[in-house]
Amino acid sequence: LDRSARILEENWDMVKQRFQQEYIIAVLPWLITIHRLRVERMRDSAERRKTLKRAVWLAHLARVTLPFFGNNGPQVFRDLALLSLCAAKPDSARNYIAKSLQAARKRRARYEQAQSLYALYRIERSLGGAGSEAARSEALKLLGRLNAVDVFFRLEQDIDG
């Protein structure tokens, strides 16, 4: 993940002045995701706090681009939700995951919707929320309809072990 983050940071430095095309701005959501994954795997440290701060800053920057590159919305809001969970901000986590689900449904992006439902499960499970198993079940059903159940099992492995 560290190497991926370095590569995406280098690419981001090269393209951040060229927001005209979707394929260029796509680096930003993936950079946020890589940093989020790194934060989730780090123990509390100065490096974790720095990486979390960077990821949140980039995610807020990405929000500014959403009126032009709306397809990134589900991923950006999902990462903001999970980053909020890492920052111990449960209300923000729930707010952003609701926005992610809304963006995915608006675009009829069922795979993104399934990933966001799974993120909702993770958030509610972490916070002891009552709806966690329902979100997990809905994500699994949707992935089944998309013939992507293998993704579900990879998500399960990431969260549990």
Side-chain angles (χ1 to χ4, degrees):
L1 290 177
D2 292 340
R3 184 169 183 260
S4 297
R6 278 193 305 277
I7 290 168
L8 286 171
E9 285 283 358
E10 289 169 8
N11 281 300
W12 175 242
D13 287 341
M14 287 188 279
V15 300
K16 64 184 169 187
Q17 300 301 319
R18 299 179 182 161
F19 283 133
Q20 300 94 2
Q21 298 175 337
E22 180 81 27
Y23 73 90
I24 290 175
I25 199 65
V27 169
L28 184 55
W30 286 109
L31 180 58
I32 298 161
T33 298
I34 286 292
H35 282 315
R36 176 189 50 84
L37 290 169
R38 290 178 64 224
V39 166
E40 289 176 343
R41 286 164 174 77
M42 291 176 169
R43 289 199 169 106
D44 191 29
S45 65
E47 182 182 356
R48 182 183 188 275
R49 290 187 294 279
K50 179 181 174 185
T51 304
L52 177 60
K53 184 177 180 179
R54 172 84 173 146
V56 169
W57 184 86
L58 288 167
H60 286 295
L61 177 63
R63 286 182 63 190
V64 174
T65 70
L66 292 181
F68 308 103
F69 307 107
N71 288 341
N72 294 333
Q75 182 179 357
V76 169
F77 286 124
R78 183 173 52 251
D79 281 330
L80 268 168
L82 293 168
L83 288 165
S84 295
L85 185 64
C86 291
K89 296 180 179 178
D91 292 340
S92 292
R94 287 178 169 137
N95 178 47
Y96 286 128
I97 201 62
K99 287 181 179 187
S100 177
L101 286 163
Q102 180 183 19
R105 288 177 181 133
K106 179 179 177 183
R107 285 172 177 67
R108 295 185 178 114
R110 295 182 304 162
Y111 184 73
E112 292 287 344
Q113 183 180 349
Q115 289 185 70
S116 294
L117 283 166
Y118 196 81
L120 174 62
Y121 157 69
R122 290 183 56 199
I123 291 164
E124 292 302 328
R125 177 180 168 207
S126 176
L127 300 174
S132 66
E133 286 305 316
R136 181 180 178 273
S137 177
E138 191 176 344
L140 179 58
K141 286 179 195 172
L142 186 52
L143 287 168
R145 288 194 299 266
L146 296 171
N147 293 320
V149 176
D150 62 311
V151 172
F152 174 80
F153 293 109
R154 280 183 286 172
L155 291 170
E156 291 276 286
Q157 282 181 321
D158 282 349
I159 194 171
D160 290 332

